Amino acid sequence: MAAPRKKASAAQRKAVPTIAGGFEPLRFSSKAPTEERVPIFYVDDDEYTIPKFISRSFSLGVMERARDVGMEIAVTEAMEELLGDDGYKALLNCPSISDEDWDAFQTIFRDLVFGKPEEQGKGRR
């Protein structure tokens, strides 16, 4: 004779469904977070800022744009958008930027927009 079946508890019946691969579906909000800005560079005593949170949908948009115009132009457009007109023009008109300064700025900007290389491919928590 077979053992009687145990009834599923309410918690077991209301468990979040999973996809065939064993993960729960992700949920996103269509509302943008409040834009807080943080300093990214200074020219003399003037502070230039960038949004603290850069959505990965923005990053994806940059990559999508790069398909049409190339990565250099897409990233330049992203700089203009994220730094604002004043910040972008401050970079254009700053004759003291060295190769080392420019490399450091590009690394910081890339990491902010696309994530640090060691974080790429990992979900944010």
Side-chain angles (χ1 to χ4, degrees):
M1 182 177 212
R5 296 177 87 188
K6 291 183 181 179
K7 290 186 178 181
S9 70
Q12 290 170 327
R13 286 191 303 269
K14 292 182 182 180
V16 176
T18 58
I19 305 295
F23 62 89
E24 292 181 26
L26 301 173
R27 295 189 183 274
F28 304 110
S29 172
S30 60
K31 297 178 180 142
T34 304
E35 185 175 295
E36 180 181 347
R37 296 185 70 87
V38 293
I40 188 168
F41 67 89
Y42 292 84
V43 175
D44 300 323
D45 291 329
D46 295 325
E47 176 182 90
Y48 296 94
T49 63
I50 192 165
K52 183 176 183 178
F53 173 78
I54 298 171
S55 170
R56 291 302 170 235
S57 65
F58 181 86
S59 307
L60 185 59
V62 173
M63 291 186 287
E64 179 74 17
R65 180 77 173 129
R67 295 167 100 186
D68 296 330
V69 298
M71 188 55 86
E72 293 84 5
I73 293 172
V75 169
T76 300
E77 292 172 350
M79 280 184 196
E80 288 180 275
E81 185 170 340
L82 295 174
L83 297 174
D85 192 48
D86 289 344
Y88 185 71
K89 284 183 179 174
L91 284 178
L92 285 175
N93 297 313
C94 187
S96 66
I97 298 174
S98 67
D99 289 344
E100 293 80 19
D101 293 335
W102 184 243
D103 289 344
F105 174 81
Q106 286 187 66
T107 298
I108 292 166
F109 188 82
R110 181 201 64 226
D111 291 353
L112 290 171
V113 174
F114 299 109
K116 293 182 180 180
E118 63 271 11
E119 294 174 354
Q120 291 177 4
K122 296 180 182 177
R124 284 186 166 184
R125 296 185 190 250

